[in-house]
């Protein structure tokens, strides 16, 4: 039981240490930009809060050639933030 409490405390510390720029930078390192894929058919949009109770938000858009690639990106990006996700969608590019 004591180990669980330690793990939870360590996780809370890591989540509270997140900043908007560190999380955005980490996600953007593996995010394909829409300008580099002008003929991609799928747009992915992701937005959420950083940490729990932290006032920062993250909002990122990416373009993909397939829905599965977009969905994989959304799963990975959602794991980067320690707070609530507002938007996680893959849709046909306009």
């Amino acid at each position: 039981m004591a180990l669980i409490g330690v793990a939870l405390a360590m996780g809370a510390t890591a989540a509270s240490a997140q900043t908007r720029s560190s999380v955005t930078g980490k996600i953007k390192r593996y995010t394909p930009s829409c300008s580099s894929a002008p003929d991609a058919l799928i747009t992915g949009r992701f937005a959420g809060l950083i940490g729990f109770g932290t006032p920062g938000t993250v909002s990122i858009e990416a373009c993909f050639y397939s829905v599965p690639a977009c969905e994989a990106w959304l799963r990975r990006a959602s794991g980067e933030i320690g707070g609530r996700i507002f938007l996680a969608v893959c849709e046909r590019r306009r």
Side-chain angles (χ1 to χ4, degrees), residues 9-20 22 50-55 81-83:
M10 289 173 59
T13 302
S16 63
Q18 290 180 320
T19 64
R20 179 180 185 194
S22 70
I50 300 168
F52 294 97
T54 307
I81 67 170

Side-chain angles (χ1 to χ4, degrees), residues 51-92:
F52 294 97
T54 307
T57 59
V58 172
S59 178
I60 298 176
E61 180 179 78
C63 290
F64 301 89
Y65 291 97
S66 70
V67 172
C70 179
E71 290 171 342
W73 172 76
L74 286 176
R75 282 190 299 276
R76 186 172 177 188
S78 66
E80 302 289 355
I81 67 170
R84 191 167 37 145
I85 297 170
F86 297 135
L87 177 70
V89 65
C90 296
E91 58 190 7
R92 188 156 187 78

